[in-house]
Every structure is written in C-alpha cells, then in structure tokens.
Amino acid sequence: AQSVTQPDIHITVSEGASLELRCNYSYGATPYLFWYVQSPGQGLQLLLKYFSGDTLVQGIKGFEAEFKRSQSSFNLRKPSVHWSDAAEYFCAVGSINTGTASKLTFGTGTRLQVTL
Amino acid sequence: GAVVSQHPSRVICKSGTSVKIECRSLDFQATTMFWYRQFPKQSLMLMATSNEGSKATYEQGVEKDKFLINHASLTLSTLTVTSAHPEDSSFYICSARTGARAGELFFGEGSRLTVL
C-alpha cells in the first residue's frame, strides 16, 4: 500500500528566508507525486507535480520540488518565503498504473507559519 | 485551470436530518469525482470514488448507506449525509478528474458540515 510521511507538523520561518518541507513516500512502483497548498477553510490548490522526466520540477508561486528515488523523497523548496505562503501544505502520492493515478494518498500535512 | 465548485460551503443541521453537498465541474466534464473528508488539523481521507453513470466505489470503513453518492452527469456529483450525527461534522472536499488530464485533480473549495 502506498503511504506518505511528512515529518514536520509545524514549521515557522521568517519572511524572506528559505523553506524546505519534507516528504517521504512508500510505493512499490513509479509514483505520481504532488504538493498541494490549503489555506484555512479552503480547498486544495496544486503547487506542482512529478510524473516522469526531470527530477526537479517547478511549480507555481516560486515553489520547486526534487524527486529523489534513492531516498524516496519529494521535498518542497522555496528560496524566499512570503507572508502569504502561510498555509497547510500536503504531499500526496498516486499510483501510475492502471489509470488510477487520481486516487491519491495524502500526508498529514505541514503547517507553515511565516513571521514578519 | 479547471474549476470545481462545491455548494454549500457551510451547512449547519440538526442531528437526524440529511444534508446534501454538491460538487460541480464548471468548465470541463468530469468522468470521475472523488470525495474526501478532513478532520480538524488532519489530512484528507478518501471516502469514495464516483464515476458518472455507475455506482460509487467506497473506501474501507466508509458506510455506504450513510454517505450516499450520486454522479448523475458529467458535471455534477452529490454527497448526501443521511441521518447526520455530531460525529459526522467535518470538512468535506470533492475533486474531479478529466479523462484528458490523467493524474491531475482539481479540488473544490470544501464544505464544512456542523451537526448539532
């Protein structure tokens, strides 16, 4: 069964500082990997995704993530955080086989707080 | 990007009543929709997969008779919480997938249900 671990429940960074949110996954085959952001009381917005190819993927809002198969990781990074980035971030993994990639398993989320 | 809309965004009901939540894909046809449940400060848990014109597929542990899902058209899926109880209070989120965008989901804004 697939699973996702986000080790950090809560992270606080200063505005302008760099950010890295960790994500480790467990999956038997080649995974689809996603990062979503959720503002309070809102749905989820896709930041970026990895299906294949270049292991460094660029997303919206200046975010990027790197797929490292050897470490089973897909960490999210941003060089300079803005106060508006404060939100909950979810890593998710989907299966790549049998067309069921949309059936996602989510991590428990990391809440990002940005101090001014 | 594609837009998925949920209605109502918030609903309060009395214990024992039924509540219907709608999920609409506004600018694309969604052959498959997914319903998630999110408890406070927790991750999203997949409840069921809804395919247009067929019965929904429920995840293990989800009561089919309590959470009725109907996907009558390519743009609308509904979740009905029957005989709601306070423990059903939660944030319900739907997502939709188009056939052309395999592996990419679009999420609704979520519906917060409070059962008194």
Side-chain angles (χ1 to χ4, degrees):
Chain A
Q2 58 200 44
S3 66
V4 178
T5 301
Q6 292 181 248
D8 305 306
I9 297 174
H10 186 201
I11 284 182
T12 300
V13 300
S14 300
E15 188 176 38
S18 63
L19 171 71
E20 182 170 36
L21 302 182
R22 295 183 291 166
C23 172
N24 293 96
Y25 69 91
S26 174
Y27 187 66
T30 303
Y32 282 166
L33 293 162
F34 305 81
W35 274 100
Y36 288 89
V37 60
Q38 183 182 35
S39 297
Q42 300 294 314
L44 275 70
Q45 181 182 24
L46 178 67
L47 286 176
L48 47 80
K49 61 184 183 287
Y50 171 78
F51 287 174
S52 64
D54 192 347
T55 56
L56 182 63
V57 294
Q58 302 296 322
I60 62 171
K61 304 183 178 183
F63 286 93
E64 66 176 27
E66 186 171 12
F67 171 57
K68 293 185 177 180
R69 185 186 299 275
S70 61
Q71 298 178 19
S72 297
S73 69
F74 189 57
N75 295 347
L76 181 71
R77 300 194 295 251
K78 186 169 183 176
S80 178
V81 171
H82 188 263
W83 65 266
S84 60
D85 293 325
E88 188 88 19
Y89 290 81
F90 292 96
C91 181
V93 62
S95 57
I96 200 170
N97 297 317
T98 68
T100 59
S102 299
K103 188 171 180 177
L104 300 181
T105 298
F106 286 85
T108 50
T110 297
R111 179 166 295 279
L112 173 64
Q113 183 176 359
V114 180
T115 58
L116 300 177
Chain B
V3 178
V4 176
S5 178
Q6 279 184 245
H7 178 80
S9 57
R10 293 178 180 272
V11 57
I12 301 173
C13 69
K14 294 181 179 180
S15 184
T17 61
S18 295
V19 174
K20 180 185 287 187
I21 300 171
E22 294 184 345
C23 177
R24 292 181 184 274
S25 56
L26 298 185
D27 52 0
F28 67 100
Q29 293 184 327
T31 55
T32 304
M33 290 184 172
F34 302 85
W35 286 96
Y36 293 84
R37 182 174 182 177
Q38 184 180 30
F39 291 102
K41 299 183 179 181
Q42 293 188 28
S43 188
L44 284 73
M45 300 299 296
L46 179 65
M47 298 174 65
T49 302
S50 169
N51 292 299
E52 187 267 337
S54 63
K55 290 184 178 181
T57 302
Y58 290 82
E59 295 300 303
Q60 190 173 12
V62 178
E63 299 176 62
K64 301 178 182 181
D65 295 332
K66 174 169 237 356
F67 299 101
L68 300 180
I69 292 173
N70 183 282
H71 194 157
S73 77
L74 286 172
T75 59
L76 174 64
S77 176
T78 61
L79 168 68
T80 301
V81 183
T82 62
S83 187
H85 291 283
E87 57 265 30
D88 298 324
S89 298
S90 189
F91 195 55
Y92 293 89
I93 303 177
C94 74
S95 65
R97 173 174 73 97
T98 68
R101 296 176 184 252
E104 185 169 340
L105 293 177
F106 300 95
F107 284 82
E109 314 95 322
S111 299
R112 181 163 302 283
L113 169 64
T114 302
V115 184
L116 302 177

